[in-house]
Amino acid sequence: MIRHSQSIRRSTTLTAGILATVLTVVPAAIYFVMAFSHMTGVIETEGEINARVVGALVVANPKMWEFEELRLKELLSRRSTDTAEKRVLYNLKGQVIAESLDKVLPPLLSRSFPVHDAGHRVANLVVSRSLAPTLMVTALLFCLGALAAGFAFFRLRTVPLRAVESAYRSLKQSEEKYRSVYESLNEGLALFRSVPVSDTETDLVLMDINPAAVSVFGFERDDIGKGILDLQGGLFAPVREALQGTPAEVILELAQEAAGRVFIVNAFPMGDGMVATLLEDVTEKKRSAEQLENLAYYDSLTGLLNRRMLLDRMEHTIGSAQRDGIKMATLFFDLNGFKPINDTMGHEAGDQILIEVARRLKSSVRKKDTLARLGGDEFVVVATLDTEDNASCIAQNLLRKLNPVYEVGGREVYVGASIGISVYPGDGTTPETLLKNADIAMYNAKKPGVEFCFYSAQMNQKLQERTRLESDLWRALEREEFFLEYQPIMDARTGRVAAVEALVRWMSPERGRVMPDSFIPLAEATGIIVPLGEWVLKTACTKLRQWLDAGCLPIRMSVNVSGCHFMRSELCRMVEEAAEQSGVDLALLELELTETCLIKDVEETAAKLWHLKGLNVSIGIDDFGTGYSSLQYLKNFPIDHLKIDRAFIKNVCDLPDQRAIVDAIIGIAKAMELHVIAEGVETLDQAEYLAHRGCDELQGYYYHRPLSEERLLEVLREERERLQLVPDTAGVGEAGVRETHTGDAAGDGAPVPVQPV
Ligand code: C2E
Ligand code: CA
Ligand code: CA
């Protein structure tokens, strides 16, 4: 740049100097020349006239004119202009004969004019004018010109130089900007110059590389000047090949297998024989794209196809089945007993089982069949069929191979499977329909004694019925079609009603009276259980408050809380609200929870239970003995009572096994200082046995069926009256069992119980 600016400076100085000189000299010179020629012209004219006037005197007085000094002087002093002009008359010897009186300042401009007498020169007249004014004006003009020229010179000399400098500065800035981008690029940038090596072939020689090319792509500074084939063990040979004869941009993917890396090389000619190559390391990108693809198409736990890929495969299989005129079976698997294991033994145990199921299925299906996991414990096998019977064989074979025994954490667990089967084209012609129908069939295969089940149109009707029931349930909630019945729970010692269990019923305008077993599972599955549970809780509390206000003796109110209700909603808030709205003492409220719902998330459960305990609410475990928990495990929760499931009570008098279980539950509960309740007590023998073994409370048809509110109030009133009549009847043990027996069940169509002794 310095060299450039010096040469620009030299040439601008020269040009400005020439221009300044011209500006200085030319106006003064022009003025001088013009003034000079004007003065010359005037002198010529004046001189001619004067010479002629003197000539006339000479002619008139040829002998004496030289002596007529005065006359001559007068003639010479006669002037036509104001300008001073000296006129001197010389004889031929050069002596002054006469002269005018004017004084003129030197320097002078003089002209000599001959004076003739009869054709002979007799004298010379010299006319002179002063050049001083002209020279002064010329000098002035010169000075002014020089001044202007000086100014012009400096301007002309500096302006282009400044423009060049600013252009250079901005060029430098933009170059620096691009340089920093170039240096900080994550992509490697290598500049090559193409050098012809033959008529048809050109080589690429490395000219420059950016830091990323060095650090990421393993180039070295020493590589500069090398041919492209000598770089990185010839990795870039395809780039050289692709650029032969093509002045266009090329994009190539290159794999450096030894290092397990993949690059994208974008080479583009930049003109002047330069080629820039942009190098991007896409190893990680490719790896994550592959992982994403795996995630998109494969189940990450088992490595089987996922739903999306299954639908895709089914589409293909349907296409070929249609072409070949054959059938295709979709077998929908669902594991039985998996959920409780997952809930009680943890997700890791569940995952181990799922992986093992996948392994067993994989080794059992034919190569041409498709196996997928839909999520959860659902698997699907899609197989083309020769005959429809073939589908049963496949299902049977798979079930046999899918041995239900699994070993998890050193324990043996049993996980069976139910299979629903839909067959193309009869049960559907699209993957979605076939899957949906196989799923419907699978629900039917869940029935006891059924392992697999083919889809039928009636099943769909059942499903539709389920959907209708769901919407009816929502409507029932809005229209307040639910109501409560209350089943008394008797104190085994005193025989008095110690508590009542609130049991929900639905009075449907279309279906009539519907019992909870028909709608609670659906309410749980759809979430309706949360508002329904809230309604039950609040209604039960309000009723209890009303009864107490009406003079009933204090009894506990037992409310069933569904597992999903307990897990999902803010049960504690609902309980507080129920207490606030009804004004009932929460010490009289008892919540019945099931074991499985408690051990799903031990920490959260404990926190909730302690919160409830803090509100003074009692907590009981319903259907005890059917879940998977151990008493030891439950010790960590603030539980007040256990309710032995009625399945154990049913045969407690006849089957020693059942008796042993009931005895064990009562024994351990006592050891843990828990209150024990037996439900489903239907006979006197059962009641006596349980009371004898130490059961604290008894509930069942033997005493009362679930009662309407009015009937319950009657029972409570009768009991109060009896107590008033016989104030000291509070006996113990068997006496209590017999005393409390009211025969109320008869009103509900139950067998008439034995009258008290
Ligand atoms: P559960 O909690 O075990 O309730 C006791 C069930 O056993 C009641 O059936 C009752 O009628 C029946 N039962 C009582 N004594 C005997 C007996 O001596 N023999 C026989 N065989 N059965 C007896 P219900 O009312 O049909 O209720 C069935 C189940 O529905 C309940 O079982 C409970 O799990 C659920 N349920 C009822 N009401 C509610 C509710 O408000 N909320 C929730 N979440 N579940 C409820
Ligand atoms: Ca219950
Ligand atoms: Ca129960």
Side-chain angles (χ1 to χ4, degrees):
M1 161 65 199
I2 293 170
R3 232 178 47 231
H4 279 282
S5 75
Q6 272 174 354
S7 87
I8 291 169
R9 191 188 291 270
R10 261 202 306 277
S11 52
T12 51
T13 309
L14 187 70
T15 318
I18 293 169
L19 233 96
T21 314
V22 169
L23 212 63
T24 314
V25 174
V26 169
I30 290 173
Y31 171 78
F32 182 77
V33 168
M34 282 172 65
F36 190 84
S37 67
H38 172 74
M39 201 187 283
T40 314
V42 172
I43 290 174
E44 295 275 348
T45 320
E46 292 278 323
E48 295 270 336
I49 295 167
N50 275 288
R52 234 175 267 146
V53 171
V54 174
L57 183 72
V58 172
V59 172
N61 202 0
K63 295 280 185 260
M64 291 307 289
W65 65 275
E66 266 188 79
F67 306 102
E68 288 200 40
E69 198 176 328
L70 277 172
R71 182 94 180 108
L72 280 171
K73 256 189 191 166
E74 188 202 341
L75 281 176
L76 290 179
S77 295
R78 215 182 280 161
R79 285 196 282 136
S80 56
T81 61
D82 293 338
T83 316
E85 196 175 83
K86 182 82 180 171
R87 295 172 193 145
V88 184
L89 192 66
Y90 296 92
N91 61 16
L92 290 178
K93 288 176 191 156
Q95 292 159 334
V96 175
I97 301 169
E99 59 185 334
S100 66
L101 292 174
D102 295 76
K103 292 251 184 280
V104 285
L105 281 171
L108 302 175
L109 176 64
S110 308
R111 284 282 182 277
S112 170
F113 301 93
V115 178
H116 293 99
D117 179 16
H120 296 285
R121 185 202 290 202
V122 288
N124 285 319
L125 175 70
V126 174
V127 179
S128 304
R129 280 195 175 205
S130 174
L131 270 174
T134 308
L135 283 175
M136 283 217 340
V137 173
T138 306
L140 192 69
L141 277 176
F142 185 85
C143 287
L144 284 173
L147 219 65
F151 180 74
F153 175 79
F154 285 108
R155 296 295 303 159
L156 282 173
R157 208 176 69 114
T158 54
V159 166
L161 209 64
R162 264 196 214 141
V164 167
E165 269 170 8
S166 105
Y168 171 75
R169 253 199 316 277
S170 63
L171 200 70
K172 200 166 169 196
Q173 275 168 1
S174 86
E175 194 187 310
E176 270 165 13
K177 210 160 64 197
Y178 285 110
R179 186 91 215 159
S180 78
V181 171
Y182 175 77
E183 308 256 285
S184 60
L185 262 184
N186 283 337
E187 284 87 9
L189 193 66
L191 290 176
F192 291 92
R193 179 176 291 288
S194 61
V195 179
V197 284
S198 72
D199 287 350
T200 52
E201 233 186 317
T202 49
D203 194 10
L204 294 170
V205 176
L206 186 65
M207 301 302 291
D208 195 10
I209 40 176
N210 74 344
V214 176
S215 62
V216 184
F217 297 92
F219 278 97
E220 287 170 14
R221 286 261 141 218
D222 291 351
D223 287 339
I224 292 175
K226 285 185 186 169
I228 196 165
L229 295 182
D230 301 329
L231 299 171
Q232 311 258 328
L235 176 69
F236 298 103
V239 179
R240 181 182 187 266
E241 211 167 290
L243 283 173
Q244 296 301 329
T246 345
E249 179 180 352
V250 290
I251 298 174
L252 296 171
E253 188 180 292
L254 303 178
Q256 204 175 29
E257 266 155 32
R261 291 163 74 188
V262 185
F263 305 105
I264 293 281
V265 180
N266 186 347
F268 45 94
M270 300 200 306
D272 269 358
M274 294 299 285
V275 174
T277 54
L278 205 57
L279 311 158
E280 193 187 353
D281 187 342
V282 290
T283 319
E284 277 311 310
K285 255 191 211 169
K286 271 198 95 96
R287 206 168 290 156
S288 33
E290 268 168 29
Q291 277 170 355
L292 263 178
E293 185 171 326
N294 276 346
L295 274 182
Y297 296 117
Y298 297 92
D299 169 44
S300 56
L301 180 70
T302 59
L304 299 183
L305 302 182
N306 64 10
R307 174 185 284 271
R308 189 170 153 193
M309 199 59 176
L310 171 72
L311 291 174
D312 202 54
R313 287 278 174 87
M314 283 178 81
E315 194 89 54
H316 277 99
T317 317
I318 289 172
S320 48
Q322 190 181 22
R323 251 193 331 275
D324 305 342
I326 56 169
K327 294 186 172 180
M328 181 195 93
T330 302
L331 295 96
F332 197 111
F333 282 71
D334 187 271
L335 303 182
N336 298 325
F338 173 76
K339 233 177 117 34
I341 288 177
N342 205 29
D343 291 344
T344 55
M345 295 177 70
H347 287 277
E348 249 169 59
D351 285 355
Q352 267 183 42
I353 292 175
L354 292 173
I355 292 169
E356 182 56 20
V357 169
R359 198 191 61 74
R360 291 181 192 179
L361 283 175
K362 220 185 278 178
S363 66
S364 317
V365 296
R366 298 172 304 180
K367 266 220 164 72
K368 57 179 181 172
D369 297 342
T370 302
L371 170 64
R373 179 181 168 222
L374 292 191
D377 56 353
E378 294 173 346
F379 294 83
V380 170
V381 172
V382 175
T384 46
L385 304 174
D386 303 328
T387 65
E388 198 146 325
D389 289 346
N390 215 223
S392 323
C393 297
I394 295 173
Q396 272 162 348
N397 185 36
L398 287 174
L399 282 170
R400 206 176 45 247
K401 296 267 177 66
L402 203 65
N403 178 355
V405 185
Y406 294 82
E407 206 191 288
V408 182
R411 264 175 70 181
E412 263 191 1
V413 294
Y414 285 79
V415 178
S418 303
I419 308 178
I421 307 169
S422 64
V423 180
Y424 166 86
D427 301 335
T429 50
T430 64
E432 289 82 6
T433 321
L434 287 164
L435 265 186
K436 190 191 84 195
N437 291 344
D439 190 4
I440 294 172
M442 189 274 296
Y443 269 98
N444 283 270
K446 290 265 177 202
K447 286 180 190 155
V450 186
E451 282 191 310
F452 64 88
C453 187
F454 281 87
Y455 169 78
S456 73
Q458 291 97 305
M459 290 177 186
N460 206 3
Q461 277 169 9
K462 278 195 184 155
L463 187 81
Q464 281 169 3
E465 163 59 19
R466 209 176 114 92
T467 320
R468 211 167 35 242
L469 182 66
E470 188 188 336
S471 63
D472 285 357
L473 276 178
W474 282 111
R475 230 188 3 254
L477 205 61
E478 278 167 26
R479 296 185 188 167
E480 299 191 1
E481 289 168 6
F482 293 105
F483 67 98
L484 293 181
E485 284 192 330
Y486 307 90
Q487 187 176 29
I489 301 170
M490 318 304 288
D491 185 317
R493 257 178 2 100
T494 63
R496 283 186 225 143
V497 177
V500 289
E501 180 178 1
L503 295 160
V504 70
R505 277 93 181 84
W506 173 25
M507 185 50 80
S508 158
E510 297 88 23
R511 301 162 209 263
R513 183 184 160 98
V514 188
M515 295 305 278
D517 284 337
S518 314
F519 62 85
I520 293 281
L522 187 65
E524 286 179 337
T526 53
I528 303 175
I529 195 71
V530 177
L532 177 61
E534 185 171 4
W535 179 85
V536 170
L537 180 70
K538 290 184 174 168
T539 312
C541 288
T542 312
K543 290 291 175 192
L544 180 61
R545 181 72 252 167
Q546 286 172 3
W547 303 337
L548 295 175
D549 290 347
C552 280
L553 294 175
I555 48 166
R556 300 187 328 265
M557 173 64 80
S558 211
V559 173
N560 291 287
V561 175
S562 166
C564 38
H565 186 184
F566 181 75
M567 292 313 294
R568 274 170 56 171
S569 69
E570 307 127 326
L571 184 66
C572 304
R573 179 189 55 78
M574 282 187 194
V575 169
E576 281 169 314
E577 274 177 21
E580 216 169 282
Q581 282 172 19
S582 63
V584 87
D585 178 3
L586 281 182
L588 294 177
L589 180 68
E590 193 167 73
L591 299 181
E592 290 191 11
L593 301 157
T594 54
E595 285 167 273
T596 27
C597 102
L598 293 180
I599 47 187
K600 250 181 199 159
D601 182 341
V602 178
E603 273 175 30
E604 200 187 327
T605 302
K608 270 192 177 167
L609 292 180
W610 280 110
H611 191 167
L612 289 168
K613 200 78 211 127
L615 299 174
N616 225 0
V617 174
S618 315
I619 295 150
I621 298 187
D622 204 357
D623 305 339
F624 190 79
T626 55
Y628 287 81
S629 58
S630 67
L631 285 167
Q632 179 61 29
Y633 192 40
L634 297 172
K635 210 177 77 177
N636 300 325
F637 299 143
I639 287 160
D640 300 284
H641 75 248
L642 300 181
K643 204 183 233 191
I644 308 171
D645 190 66
R646 63 176 180 273
F648 299 108
I649 307 299
K650 196 172 175 210
N651 296 310
V652 75
C653 297
D654 318 320
L655 300 177
D657 285 6
Q658 303 281 306
R659 206 177 310 143
I661 293 174
V662 171
D663 288 355
I665 294 176
I666 297 171
I668 299 168
K670 288 283 154 200
M672 289 173 69
E673 296 178 339
L674 296 175
H675 208 70
V676 191
I677 305 171
E679 67 174 0
V681 180
E682 293 186 354
T683 65
L684 174 62
D685 288 347
Q686 289 168 351
E688 281 181 344
Y689 180 81
L690 291 162
H692 183 71
R693 300 309 296 186
C695 247
D696 300 290
E697 287 172 5
L698 305 168
Q699 178 188 13
Y701 293 170
Y702 173 65
Y703 298 100
H704 297 282
R705 289 193 164 236
L707 309 172
S708 65
E709 186 187 1
E710 297 76 38
R711 188 71 197 98
L712 174 76
L713 290 176
E714 264 174 45
V715 167
L716 293 176
R717 196 175 51 246
E718 282 165 16
E719 186 185 86
R720 207 172 55 225
E721 284 166 8
R722 218 176 34 252
L723 277 173
Q724 281 161 1
L725 281 175
V726 197
D728 199 19
T729 51
V732 285
E734 285 166 33
V737 173
R738 288 170 190 278
E739 246 178 23
T740 53
H741 177 57
T742 60
D744 174 82
D748 298 286
V752 178
V754 183
Q755 290 298 316
V757 182

